[in-house]
Amino acid sequence: MKRRQFLTGASMAAGAFAASSVAPSIAKADEQIHWRMVMPWPKGTPGLGANGEKFAERVTKMSGGRLKITVYGAGELVPAFECMDAVEQGVAELAHGTPYYWAGKDAGVNFFSTIPFGLMGWELSGWLRFGGGQELWDELYAQFNVKPFAAGNTGLQAGGWFNKEINTVDDIKGIKMRYAGIGGEAMRRLGANVTMLPAAEILPAMQSGAIDAAEWVGPWNDYAFGLTQVGKYYYTPAFAEPGTGIEVFVNKDKFAELPEDLQEIFAVAAQANLEQTLADFTFHNIQSYQAVLAKGAEIRHFSDDVIAALATEVKAAVKEIADQNELNGRIHASYMDFVKKAAPYGKEFEATGLLQRANVWADA
């Protein structure tokens, strides 16, 4: 053998050995992969569990069955509020949920669900995609070895079902209520006894008198879960949830093992679910609102004094989250910068346009 041929062959063999000994384990292009997805809501829940299942189906179809996802609803594999731990620890490969359910791990997650008086659904998408929000979200979730994807939005929610009118701040004191996120914290600071219950437990708690009030989502979900049977006053809109983000997050190590085409399929499926979920909620909340009214719900709005008191507590709670650590401070600064720009635009364009539309078609 000639010297040049020998050296070339030896070099190639060494390179192959080195690659095989240090390269990560990457799934082969034709390998069938089976993943488990957990959710904090029951399968089939309108707009939430149902769209989580649609995400799994979409990934399976787009991948030609190479990536098959089995879906587990709340309590089927892990308890509702332990989905993040399950993915971090490898009990499941991914989860469908909403970030503020994991606030016990880091309160900064609230910015990627919703902030009271904050970004609307379409504005949250704008911040995530073009305003640096996704990069900050990636950095936050990397602490838990998971990668997040925006995969839905409920749009503007309802303020909740109450069995007594809330006319003053004093009316909040002592009420036992199910309220989520920073909105729930604001209610607690004003004297409410706040608890956080999974979706399936809200109606039984209202029926038994364990709680006196509850917020869930909006007309579509509230009607489907029977809250029209147990609540008299329906407060709208939700100061607490102007546009709540829905997510899919995946174990980072497992995601890194996917071939590039399956990674792209996963990302595109999440984006498709984002649009579908927001459209789903928009259409069905409008349709279900009439059914809610037909059940005798009395529509109420929080008074200006109540909103002002809630706003004071929200600002304090959000500032406390921002001060917890350097990353949360950067997330807060980025989020609030966009809120302050979005507010005057929304007032002059969207809010004014909605009022004009309501006046034009009032007698139609």
Side-chain angles (χ1 to χ4, degrees):
M1 182 181 291
K2 295 181 179 178
R3 183 173 182 273
R4 180 177 298 174
Q5 291 175 321
F6 173 80
L7 290 175
T8 301
S11 176
M12 291 176 64
F17 173 79
S20 66
S21 62
V22 302
S25 175
I26 304 297
K28 296 178 181 178
D30 59 350
E31 181 182 345
Q32 189 175 63
I33 303 164
H34 294 269
W35 277 4
R36 296 154 296 181
M37 183 173 84
V38 291
M39 304 190 296
W41 23 69
K43 287 191 288 189
T45 303
L48 298 170
N51 282 344
E53 293 173 82
K54 287 176 183 176
F55 168 80
E57 293 169 5
R58 180 173 283 121
V59 169
T60 299
K61 288 180 180 178
M62 291 172 67
S63 68
R66 290 165 53 213
L67 178 53
K68 181 177 176 58
I69 298 173
T70 301
V71 180
Y72 297 88
E76 292 183 345
L77 188 61
V78 297
F81 298 142
E82 295 182 17
C83 295
M84 174 68 85
D85 290 332
V87 176
E88 182 180 3
Q89 296 165 12
V91 175
E93 286 75 22
L94 69 154
H96 182 266
T98 186
Y100 63 30
Y101 282 175
W102 335 123
K105 299 181 78 66
D106 190 311
V109 301
N110 282 283
F111 290 99
F112 304 98
S113 254
T114 190
I115 296 294
F117 308 108
L119 297 175
M120 308 296 279
W122 58 93
E123 294 169 340
L124 180 63
S125 290
W127 175 62
L128 288 174
R129 187 164 290 273
F130 301 109
Q134 183 65 55
E135 292 78 8
L136 291 165
W137 197 11
D138 288 340
E139 186 176 351
L140 179 64
Y141 271 32
Q143 299 173 105
F144 318 123
N145 197 39
V146 300
K147 179 174 177 58
F149 295 83
N153 199 288
T154 66
L156 178 60
Q157 294 195 14
W161 295 88
F162 291 75
N163 283 320
K164 78 167 192 174
E165 289 189 82
I166 305 298
N167 296 314
T168 69
V169 175
D170 285 341
D171 292 331
I172 294 174
K173 295 177 180 178
I175 291 185
K176 297 173 292 184
M177 64 173 72
R178 187 270 186 195
Y179 233 85
I182 296 174
E185 175 61 15
M187 285 289 193
R188 186 192 66 78
R189 294 183 184 204
L190 291 180
N193 296 317
V194 178
T195 187
M196 184 59 185
L197 297 173
E201 297 179 20
I202 299 173
L203 178 61
M206 287 281 282
Q207 288 173 323
S208 69
I211 56 174
D212 308 308
E215 61 79 33
W216 175 213
V217 184
W220 185 27
N221 291 79
D222 294 359
Y223 185 85
F225 275 73
L227 299 188
T228 55
Q229 304 169 30
V230 291
K232 181 177 181 181
Y233 302 107
Y234 197 30
Y235 276 81
T236 67
F239 77 94
E241 305 202 38
T244 304
I246 306 301
E247 64 186 348
V248 167
F249 57 86
V250 57
N251 183 283
K252 282 190 70 177
D253 296 331
K254 291 294 184 180
F255 190 75
E257 292 175 2
L258 291 180
E260 287 186 7
D261 64 327
L262 289 186
Q263 290 183 357
E264 184 66 13
I265 284 170
F266 192 98
V268 170
Q271 178 65 20
N273 245 58
L274 171 57
E275 186 279 332
Q276 176 177 292
T277 302
L278 182 56
D280 213 4
F281 274 105
T282 300
F283 180 82
H284 287 101
N285 275 332
I286 291 170
Q287 298 292 102
S288 298
Y289 181 58
Q290 299 305 318
V292 168
L293 294 178
K295 286 289 186 179
E298 296 184 28
I299 304 300
R300 295 288 187 273
H301 306 294
F302 293 120
S303 69
D304 290 344
D305 288 346
V306 169
I307 288 295
L310 288 166
T312 296
E313 301 304 335
V314 165
K315 289 177 181 178
V318 170
K319 182 63 167 56
E320 289 170 16
I321 293 172
D323 291 342
Q324 285 178 356
N325 55 64
E326 185 270 342
L327 175 55
N328 286 357
R330 286 190 284 119
I331 294 170
H332 172 263
S334 176
Y335 184 97
M336 293 310 303
D337 177 68
F338 193 55
V339 168
K340 290 174 182 178
K341 292 174 180 174
Y345 175 87
K347 177 183 177 182
E348 298 304 331
F349 283 75
E350 288 147 0
T352 302
L354 288 171
L355 288 173
Q356 290 173 348
R357 182 180 71 179
N359 291 333
V360 166
W361 299 109
D363 57 354

